């Protein structure tokens, strides 16, 4: 039992939940998945496959096709044909019906999809079940609703689709990112070729099965799995009228350079380094919970994660005490256990990257706090970690770590908080915790960030646009704004 003067900290952290594993018996995975091109699953041209593993157990789940340039070109040709002959000629009402059907089928298979998402990517089942899969269905429902109302989205303008969209997604929200990309593209009359991330291809391939069952005309949705080279081939294909990329700033910049001067359009959703700002008048327990939710759940594998805490000096010591206490209660382990807060790190490479940042902090003599929770022997794990009082210029504050690592800095005035929050190359998101509405408006209007939450964090809705400033990207996805990058207006 910890005893302090603060009654909210007077509870024991010396106990455990009974295991509550989600069953995976109902999950049907084939040992091998081919590429989904022209409405059929077809073997990759060069016959190459790669394994996708469960990062919590380091066991292979299935092998999936490694799409070559030839495969990508075949998929783009099929998408082009489907665009010219069928999809661009279909009424919005008919396109909407297909999207509704996909949304319903995702809902029907939600349990299976959630378990596969957790097995393939390592995220806690609590999150995939309550966030990833329901939101993926919600995006299809939302854009199904727009398909026959485009003249109201862009009043007085003639709205035309662009053609074939090449779409590339990362591993942190695999099915949800696929939905963010595919739903607005199809609603506006485009066809797509999607390249999922190498470590998490399985739910996108399950989505391919759904697309097939939903009887979408062949070629409207193509899914080509593979590594970075597969994505690069998609970007290089001149028949893709538009590229939609979500991933790291480094690859995003490379894509932007290669598209410069081609006349092809793009949206880039890239990295982030968001600040959560706690003022002294905030409800501190709620704020601490919000900060924990913002960085530690989903292992910090969230582009808009609140990876920097800025706390007003007068309440810093109590907030840090509460945070440390809360960290000790977080459960790290089996992603399929419903009690798990922090699942497995997505890959060995990502774990190495996170650990190299933690080592850097250690070497530089920073004030480090790590929870002492047990972690399983096998698999890729990282205990929740705090770095307290870090200089603004330190790489831990400036660079995206993409893991359960939070830096803490203090401030005295609103000006100082805003200055520190804005002082990174990124500008994707942020959070403000205060009791004063006027302060919320004052601070949020000065943060150079695409999404700012007030007294909450990481809340998503298909009707809200999402995207960044500075090195966090170009363009917006979601909401009415998310339709614009997929149409040409005259
Ligand atoms: P990444 O390495 O940039 O990869 C993203 C996707 O691009 C993957 O499918 C990847 O394939 C592919 N790719 C790799 N090299 C490529 C190339 N030269 N040309 C075309 N495609 C290529 O990023 P990640 O590590 O998977 O994802 C984490 C990053 O995504 C973080 O920086 C995070 O902030 C960002 N993210 C941003 C948002 C947002 O909305 N702003 C949302 C989620 C994630 P492989 O998997 O085979 O490497
Ligand atoms: Mg995997």
């Amino acid at each position: 039992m910890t005893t302090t003067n603060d009654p909210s900290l007077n509870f024991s952290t010396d106990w455990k939940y009974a295991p509550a594993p989600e069953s995976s018996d109902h999950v049907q995975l084939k040992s091998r998945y081919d590429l989904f091109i022209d409405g059929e699953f077809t073997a990759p041209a060069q016959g190459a496959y790669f394994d996708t593993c469960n990062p919590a157990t380091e066991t292979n789940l299935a092998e999936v096709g490694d799409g070559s340039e030839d495969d990508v070109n075949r998929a783009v040709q099929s998408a082009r044909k489907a665009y010219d002959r069928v999809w661009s000629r279909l009424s919005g009402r008919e396109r909407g019906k297909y999207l509704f059907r996909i949304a319903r089928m995702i809902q029907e298979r939600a349990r299976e999809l959630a378990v596969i998402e957790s097995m393939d990517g390592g995220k806690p089942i609590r999150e995939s079940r309550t966030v990833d899969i329901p939101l993926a269905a919600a995006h299809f429902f939302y854009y199904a609703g727009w398909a026959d109302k485009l003249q109201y989205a862009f009043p007085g303008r003639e709205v035309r689709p662009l053609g074939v969209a090449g779409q590339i997604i990362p591993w942190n929200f695999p099915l949800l990112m696929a939905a963010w990309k595919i739903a607005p593209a199809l609603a506006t009359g485009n066809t797509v070729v999607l390249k999922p991330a190498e470590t998490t291809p399985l739910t996108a391939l399950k989505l391919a099965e759904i697309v097939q069952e939903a009887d979408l005309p062949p070629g409207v949705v193509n899914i080509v799995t593979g590594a970075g080279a597969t994505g690069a081939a998609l970007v290089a294909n001149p028949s893709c009228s538009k590229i939609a990329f979500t991933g790291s700033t480094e690859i995003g910049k490379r894509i932007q350079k290669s598209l410069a001067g081609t006349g092809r359009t793009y949206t880039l959703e890239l990295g982030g380094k968001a600040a959560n700002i706690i003022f002294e008048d905030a409800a501190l327990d709620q704020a601490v919970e919000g900060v924990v939710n913002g960085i530690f759940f989903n292992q910090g594998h969230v582009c808009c994660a609140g990876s920097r805490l800025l706390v007003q000096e007068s309440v810093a010591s109590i907030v840090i005490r509460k945070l440390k206490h809360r960290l000790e209660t977080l459960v790290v382990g089996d992603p399929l256990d419903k009690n798990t807060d922090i699942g497995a790190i997505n890959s060995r490479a990502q774990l190495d990257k996170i650990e190299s940042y933690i080592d850097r902090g250690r070497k530089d003599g920073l004030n480090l706090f790590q929870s002492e929770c047990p972690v399983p022997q096998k698999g890729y794990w990282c205990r929740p970690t705090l770095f307290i009082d870090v200089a603004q210029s330190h790489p831990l504050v400036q660079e995206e770590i993409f893991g359960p690592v939070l830096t803490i800095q203090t401030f005295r005035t609103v000006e100082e908080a805003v200055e520190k929050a804005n002082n990174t190359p990124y500008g994707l998101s942020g959070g403000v915790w205060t009791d004063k509405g006027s302060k919320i408006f004052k601070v949020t209007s000065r943060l150079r960030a695409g999404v700012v939450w007030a007294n909450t964090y990481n809340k998503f809705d298909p009707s809200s646009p999402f995207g960044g400033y500075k090195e966090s990207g170009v363009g917006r996805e979601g909401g009415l704004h998310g339709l614009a990058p997929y149409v040409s207006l005259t």
Side-chain angles (χ1 to χ4, degrees):
M1 172 80 87
T2 320
T3 2
T4 75
N5 292 333
D6 181 347
S8 73
L9 299 184
N10 279 335
F11 62 90
S12 165
T13 53
D14 201 16
W15 50 273
K16 273 202 204 134
Y17 290 105
E22 173 77 29
S23 143
S24 54
D25 300 348
H26 57 287
V27 168
Q28 292 187 355
L29 283 179
K30 294 187 282 189
S31 57
R32 169 182 278 195
Y33 284 89
D34 287 321
L35 312 174
F36 185 64
I37 299 176
D38 207 31
E40 302 287 340
F41 284 93
T42 54
Q46 293 173 0
Y49 291 84
F50 62 93
D51 292 325
T52 183
C53 90
N54 179 340
T57 58
E58 298 177 54
T59 51
N60 287 340
L61 294 167
E63 57 175 20
V64 299
D66 190 358
S68 63
E69 192 180 338
D70 286 348
D71 296 310
V72 168
N73 294 346
R74 202 153 51 90
V76 174
Q77 266 170 24
S78 158
R80 188 80 228 176
K81 198 171 71 189
Y83 174 78
D84 290 335
R85 298 195 187 160
V86 190
W87 199 249
S88 64
R89 298 177 181 199
L90 219 56
S91 68
R93 192 185 148 96
E94 290 304 312
R95 292 197 306 270
K97 282 189 201 167
Y98 282 110
L99 290 177
F100 270 119
R101 202 177 294 165
I102 293 172
R104 291 297 304 272
M105 291 170 79
I106 291 176
Q107 285 185 323
E108 281 160 17
R109 293 173 66 168
R111 205 166 145 233
E112 180 194 5
L113 291 168
V115 172
I116 296 175
E117 204 72 304
S118 286
M119 287 167 70
D120 201 16
K123 65 170 54 191
I125 186 73
R126 210 175 56 208
E127 174 131 343
S128 39
R129 203 177 50 175
T130 58
V131 179
D132 294 66
I133 310 303
L135 267 179
H139 268 82
F140 277 102
F141 276 125
Y142 177 77
Y143 283 109
W146 272 120
D148 63 348
K149 301 176 194 68
L150 296 178
Q151 72 273 31
Y152 302 108
F154 305 101
R157 315 285 297 274
E158 196 176 325
V159 186
R160 283 203 211 90
L162 297 173
V164 178
Q167 307 183 316
I168 300 167
I169 55 173
W171 42 260
N172 58 343
F173 289 89
L175 187 70
L176 183 55
M177 288 298 117
W180 275 31
K181 296 275 180 283
I182 295 175
L186 297 194
T188 44
N190 303 277
T191 56
V192 307
V193 179
L194 177 91
K195 206 299 271 178
E198 204 177 333
T199 54
T200 53
L202 293 179
T203 45
L205 290 162
K206 284 280 159 187
L207 182 63
E209 290 176 1
I210 288 176
V211 162
Q212 206 176 32
E213 278 173 43
D215 249 346
L216 239 77
V220 172
V221 171
N222 302 274
I223 296 182
V224 182
T225 47
T230 314
L234 191 55
V235 174
N237 190 308
S239 297
C240 285
S241 314
K242 185 214 155 60
I243 297 295
F245 172 81
T246 297
S248 60
T249 296
E250 183 199 340
I251 305 287
K253 281 183 180 173
R254 218 183 290 172
I255 291 176
Q256 193 173 26
K257 271 188 201 147
S258 74
L259 293 176
T262 63
R264 297 156 65 204
T265 61
Y266 53 84
T267 37
L268 304 171
E269 300 285 354
L270 310 176
K273 193 71 192 178
N276 243 322
I277 308 174
I278 301 183
F279 286 96
E280 61 189 0
D281 54 32
L284 295 184
D285 286 315
Q286 283 172 35
V288 166
E289 201 50 36
V291 168
V292 166
N293 173 39
I295 179 66
F296 296 121
F297 294 168
N298 202 29
Q299 304 75 251
H301 294 343
V302 184
C303 52
C304 51
S307 50
R308 293 184 291 145
L309 169 60
L310 299 177
V311 55
Q312 199 153 17
E313 204 174 84
S314 47
V315 291
S317 62
I318 177 74
V319 165
I320 292 167
R321 220 164 49 233
K322 283 175 187 284
L323 254 177
K324 287 181 174 175
H325 205 70
R326 180 69 177 100
L327 250 58
E328 295 292 3
T329 66
L330 291 176
V331 179
V332 181
D334 182 5
L336 288 183
D337 191 311
K338 297 175 198 90
N339 298 317
T340 294
D341 297 306
I342 302 182
I345 300 301
N346 182 264
S347 64
R348 175 83 249 170
Q350 186 58 27
L351 181 58
D352 289 346
K353 179 179 163 193
I354 298 167
E355 284 177 344
S356 75
Y357 275 106
I358 295 176
D359 286 348
R360 170 81 197 256
R362 261 199 202 102
K363 274 198 203 108
D364 291 348
L366 300 184
N367 182 355
L368 162 82
F369 175 86
Q370 249 183 346
S371 119
E372 284 176 9
C373 61
V375 298
Q377 290 283 312
K378 238 179 163 356
Y380 314 134
W381 311 99
C382 181
R383 293 190 173 89
T385 305
L386 305 177
F387 281 103
I388 302 159
D389 274 338
V390 192
Q392 184 72 32
S393 57
H394 197 280
L396 286 175
V397 168
Q398 291 294 322
E399 296 173 17
E400 186 182 47
I401 300 171
F402 225 56
V405 180
L406 177 71
T407 61
I408 304 178
Q409 299 171 276
T410 58
F411 67 88
R412 288 186 181 171
T413 62
V414 167
E415 280 64 34
E416 190 185 351
V418 170
E419 166 74 31
K420 284 184 166 163
N422 285 338
N423 185 356
T424 78
Y426 297 106
L428 190 58
S429 55
V432 179
W433 300 83
T434 168
D435 196 31
K436 305 275 182 297
S438 56
K439 205 182 280 174
I440 292 174
F441 287 116
K442 186 171 178 184
V443 176
T444 54
S445 62
R446 292 169 61 193
L447 290 181
R448 293 280 294 158
V451 184
V452 184
W453 289 282
N455 293 328
T456 185
Y457 206 83
N458 270 350
K459 291 280 178 284
F460 293 96
D461 186 281
S463 62
S464 300
F466 186 89
Y469 288 95
K470 301 191 282 183
E471 296 201 7
S472 288
V474 178
R476 295 291 178 266
E477 289 188 318
L480 173 57
H481 298 68
L483 293 168
Y486 286 100
V487 296
S488 82
L489 300 171
T490 44

